[in-house]
Amino acid sequence: MMLLTTPRRIGELGRHLMKTGRGSNEQVIIRDDLCRDVPHEAVLALRVLAAQSRRNHRVQRDVVHIVISPKRALSPAELGYVLRVIQEEFDIPTDAARHVTEHRKGRRAPHFHVVYAMTDPVTGKALRFRRSRERDDMLARRLEIELGEGLSPSVRVDRIAEMLRERGLEDLAERAAAGPVAEPGIRPGKDEMQQAARLEADVETIDDRVLLAWRRCGGDLQRFRAELDASGFSLCAGHTLVDGRPIVRLIDRESLMTTSLTRHVNRVSKGAGQAAKLHEIDVGRAFGALPAEKQARAALRLDGPQRSADAVLGEFDRLIREMEADGERDQADRAKAAKERTANRLTAEERTRLRQRQALVRERYRRRDRIRRARVNRFFIAAGVFANPKVRKLAFYLLAAGAMASGAGLLGALAVAGVAVASLPSYQGARCLRAAHDEAAAQDRIKMAAELQAESRDFFRQRAIAMKLADQRACQRAMQEKRERAARLRAMKEQARVRAGRQDREGLRIRTRAAEEQLARVMRGHRPGRSGQGDGGQQRNRSAAARPRGRGMER
């Protein structure tokens, strides 16, 4: 059984409790028989519990969230007993409001999420959950014994037995003390598990990728960095300092899950039986200056759509190669066509830019159409004004009088007035103008479609050029990184060669000095394996060594 007690603010807890679907819970059941004094709807129940806690302004958490994950399915009576034991351990009032949710996922036994308010409903005082980690372990081992589940390995076997004795449970303490001991540093920490749940990341898959990269590098940290990059990880500088240098953090580019590189490698390698035993100081010195974690995560969020598209295209390439290797030519051709369609599919940002450019073209033609319509409407209004015979007659008289006043004769004034009246707006002229406008609008629609096509062609041409330039820059960066890695390897080999040369010279110097000293002892009569007794023996050795000098020594 696994128990996890976490005081927290409600945040996204309601969404987590009710989440179902692929990769999540297959079924979510609100345990109406166990919920107490709260609405059955999860989000509303959390708000009620948080409101109770917020009455005490000194309480910084809204609720306490308890996860109960047994090894087998629990009956209602057994689940009720588990809840009573938890309430007794943490001094939660027996009549405290709570909300219970049951999750069913795959073949594993159903697990439960129990939520209480962080304050006592009567006194308003905050509940205490100090040292909840070891108390959770103690409760889990106690319930495993009482429910007959079998003891799980634990890193606190002695401490659990001691805590059970403090509570007067001697029999349970003896059985817990004989339980299996788990080696520390193999399982991910509580913070990592909570982060993985929040980001919906697969911790086991990430661990396998990190372990594979570590095995491939053979313990070489410089090569390890390249293997991590190829496995989909990025490195950044954390906020914590060790020896004046920020720790190295590992970011999974797919899920953006972030962990300590040193602790992660040590954990997964220890679990595989090949403990790496990396030290943070050595890792920081090997990798040098790294971007800050906040900047690295922001850059990965911006590049996320492009990375996901590249990942899809990469899967298409692998599928095509496998189909071609199996001789499935038709399926490979269809996969190539699907890859081409996927590669040409625009991202959300690109679709927005293309729509904006097309919207500018359409707006210009709409504005021209509105101006034409305004002209036609004005002509119809004027035609309506001058359609009355009395108005036209009055206009004729006024125009004729004005012409005569200007010095024209009667016939000239009448001719001018007749021509002017004939040119006044009429419904027939307005209809002709509207027909001309409709014909011009039809031509404009044709022109607009042509301009939209031209705009789209320009957009895709610029997009292709930008993608080509981006690929070239990526290739240049890859080549530059490859050259830098090669330069670092050459420098490391040169340093190793120089170091080996120094060691060889130092060894030769030591051996030469030893040979000279031995020769000097021989010359003085101190041969290895013989030792004179007193001054007399030394004098005899010197005289014996001095006699054969000459021809024998030269030979």
Side-chain angles (χ1 to χ4, degrees), residues 520-527 530-549:
R521 286 196 299 270
V522 170
M523 296 298 294
R524 290 194 302 268
H526 292 279
R527 292 184 177 86
R530 295 184 56 186
S531 60
Q533 300 294 329
D535 294 336
Q538 292 180 3
Q539 183 65 30
R540 287 194 297 272
N541 289 339
R542 282 197 297 269
S543 62
R547 281 196 299 272
R549 291 183 87 159

Side-chain angles (χ1 to χ4, degrees), residues 319-548:
L319 177 62
I320 291 170
R321 286 196 298 269
E322 293 173 359
M323 288 180 174
E324 290 178 347
D326 296 338
E328 301 174 356
R329 301 295 180 184
D330 297 337
Q331 290 83 351
D333 293 339
R334 286 197 289 269
K336 290 179 181 178
K339 176 192 173 183
E340 188 68 23
R341 290 193 299 270
T342 304
N344 293 331
R345 192 173 299 164
L346 300 179
T347 63
E349 183 179 358
E350 290 174 338
R351 284 197 300 270
T352 301
R353 291 202 305 267
L354 178 59
R355 288 171 182 171
Q356 289 176 351
R357 296 177 62 169
Q358 292 175 346
L360 291 176
V361 176
R362 291 192 178 95
E363 181 61 27
R364 290 196 297 267
Y365 281 94
R366 289 196 189 100
R367 189 175 301 173
R368 186 185 305 177
D369 186 69
R370 286 196 297 269
I371 294 173
R372 287 193 183 124
R373 287 183 181 276
R375 290 179 56 228
V376 172
N377 292 337
R378 289 182 68 258
F379 208 91
F380 269 100
I381 293 173
V385 172
F386 292 101
N388 193 342
K390 295 181 179 179
V391 175
R392 298 177 71 87
K393 187 182 293 185
L394 178 60
F396 178 80
Y397 290 152
L398 292 176
L399 291 172
M404 292 181 64
S406 62
L410 178 60
L411 295 177
L414 293 175
V416 171
V419 172
V421 170
S423 62
L424 290 176
S426 62
Y427 283 113
Q428 184 63 29
R431 292 191 188 95
C432 293
L433 183 61
R434 184 169 59 186
H437 161 69
D438 293 340
E439 184 177 357
Q443 296 294 329
D444 284 348
R445 284 194 291 271
I446 297 174
K447 294 179 181 178
M448 183 178 67
E451 288 192 21
L452 289 175
Q453 292 180 358
E455 195 71 25
S456 299
R457 284 194 298 271
D458 293 341
F459 175 80
F460 282 103
R461 187 183 302 111
Q462 296 172 4
R463 177 174 177 264
I465 294 173
M467 292 175 64
K468 186 176 181 180
L469 292 176
D471 292 341
Q472 291 177 356
R473 287 194 292 268
C475 292
Q476 292 175 359
R477 285 196 299 268
M479 292 298 296
Q480 181 66 23
E481 292 177 357
K482 186 176 180 180
R483 286 193 291 268
E484 290 177 357
R485 288 197 297 269
R488 286 196 295 268
L489 289 175
R490 286 196 299 269
M492 292 172 62
K493 290 180 180 179
E494 182 65 23
Q495 292 176 0
R497 188 182 63 80
V498 171
R499 195 180 303 112
R502 289 176 181 172
Q503 293 176 355
D504 293 342
R505 288 194 296 272
E506 185 66 23
L508 180 61
R509 191 180 301 111
I510 293 173
R511 290 194 297 273
T512 303
R513 188 181 300 112
E516 291 176 352
E517 291 177 357
Q518 184 178 5
L519 181 60
R521 286 196 299 270
V522 170
M523 296 298 294
R524 290 194 302 268
H526 292 279
R527 292 184 177 86
R530 295 184 56 186
S531 60
Q533 300 294 329
D535 294 336
Q538 292 180 3
Q539 183 65 30
R540 287 194 297 272
N541 289 339
R542 282 197 297 269
S543 62
R547 281 196 299 272

Side-chain angles (χ1 to χ4, degrees), residues 105-280:
K105 182 186 300 184
R107 297 181 179 179
R108 58 180 288 189
H111 63 278
F112 306 89
H113 296 262
V114 187
V115 184
Y116 293 93
M118 275 295 294
T119 57
D120 189 304
V122 178
T123 63
K125 294 182 179 180
L127 302 178
R128 300 295 181 182
F129 295 93
R130 278 187 256 175
R131 307 184 72 174
S132 62
R133 185 72 61 85
E134 63 180 23
R135 295 168 75 181
D136 287 340
D137 280 355
M138 184 272 296
L139 288 176
R141 302 295 85 75
R142 171 186 173 181
L143 292 170
E144 285 174 351
I145 296 173
E146 293 177 341
L147 300 177
E149 287 189 353
L151 288 173
S152 300
S154 175
V155 297
R156 304 182 179 92
V157 173
D158 296 336
R159 176 57 182 162
I160 289 172
E162 181 183 352
M163 294 174 68
L164 290 173
R165 291 190 185 95
E166 291 174 356
R167 287 155 178 78
L169 304 173
E170 295 291 340
D171 296 339
L172 297 181
E174 295 297 330
R175 296 179 62 180
V181 180
E183 188 175 1
I186 294 179
R187 299 182 60 185
K190 179 179 177 181
D191 295 340
E192 294 182 12
M193 296 302 296
Q194 290 179 346
Q195 182 184 184
R198 185 171 63 252
L199 298 175
E200 300 179 4
D202 190 347
V203 179
E204 295 181 359
T205 303
I206 294 176
D207 291 348
D208 293 340
R209 289 160 54 198
V210 173
L211 181 60
L212 181 60
W214 175 250
R215 287 175 175 173
R216 285 177 176 174
C217 74
D220 186 354
L221 291 179
Q222 296 299 329
R223 186 179 172 189
F224 184 43
R225 183 173 185 177
E227 292 293 341
L228 287 174
D229 183 71
S231 301
F233 294 101
S234 296
L235 300 179
C236 63
H239 302 292
T240 307
L241 299 180
V242 176
D243 194 22
R245 188 186 300 271
I247 66 172
V248 180
R249 302 276 288 174
L250 181 69
I251 304 179
D252 178 27
R253 289 199 288 261
E254 182 177 351
S255 62
L256 295 184
M257 184 173 175
T258 309
T259 59
S260 169
L261 176 63
T262 304
R263 187 167 63 246
H264 203 146
V265 173
N266 290 338
R267 179 174 64 80
V268 298
S269 60
K270 186 176 182 179
Q274 303 171 354
K277 296 182 180 179
L278 294 179
H279 298 283
E280 195 65 57

